[in-house]
Amino acid sequence: SSGINAEYGVDPQDGLVKGEMQKLTYYALTNPRKLDRIDTYLAEYLKYYVDHRRYDFAKIAMKAMEQLLQACRSASINLFVESFLRMVQKLLESPEASLQVLGSTSFVHFVNIQE
């Protein structure tokens, strides 16, 4: 979880910390058995941040999930589907319009990965 926590900068305006996200992606690719823990953790982070109206951090969690989905396109992508769809649902149910848009665009990106 410390690797996941490190992907967030101190200031949410910084977005994903590129070097830390690369480490997390490498970890996910080399330890596919850990994918279910990683995606569950990201989904919990997103839920927490949406519930506490910390939308910038919620967006970072979704971007992290999108990057992991891109990197893990192989058979392991199926391990992410349930958490990813929960994250999309949480964004779409948010009263915040920018999160609804993010949920929609993330889903479209996911569908395109599958093709």
Side-chain angles (χ1 to χ4, degrees):
S1 70
S2 62
I4 295 173
N5 291 334
E7 80 194 17
Y8 294 94
V10 174
D11 183 347
Q13 300 303 316
D14 294 339
L16 282 174
V17 177
K18 185 177 180 183
E20 296 301 330
M21 190 61 215
Q22 289 172 337
K23 289 180 195 174
L24 180 61
T25 301
Y26 176 79
Y27 178 78
L29 290 171
T30 56
N31 297 286
R33 294 184 317 275
K34 304 283 185 176
L35 290 175
D36 62 329
R37 291 173 62 191
I38 295 170
D39 71 330
T40 299
Y41 197 79
L42 284 171
E44 289 172 7
Y45 255 80
L46 181 124
K47 181 183 181 325
Y48 173 84
Y49 288 131
V50 170
D51 290 346
H52 289 86
R53 298 173 192 238
R54 298 186 68 191
Y55 300 138
D56 289 337
F57 283 117
K59 291 173 184 177
I60 292 170
M62 195 67 205
K63 293 297 180 191
M65 178 61 96
E66 285 181 18
Q67 286 190 23
L68 287 173
L69 281 167
Q70 275 291 72
C72 302
R73 286 193 248 216
S74 64
S76 60
I77 197 171
N78 293 328
L79 299 172
F80 283 102
V81 173
E82 185 178 341
S83 291
F84 173 76
L85 292 177
R86 276 186 293 152
M87 292 172 78
V88 168
Q89 180 180 5
K90 185 69 176 175
L91 293 174
L92 293 176
E93 292 173 349
S94 167
E96 179 67 26
S98 66
L99 294 183
Q100 294 170 6
V101 170
L102 178 60
S104 299
T105 56
S106 294
F107 185 75
V108 169
H109 291 158
F110 174 73
V111 171
N112 290 330
I113 290 172
Q114 295 288 68
E115 291 179 351

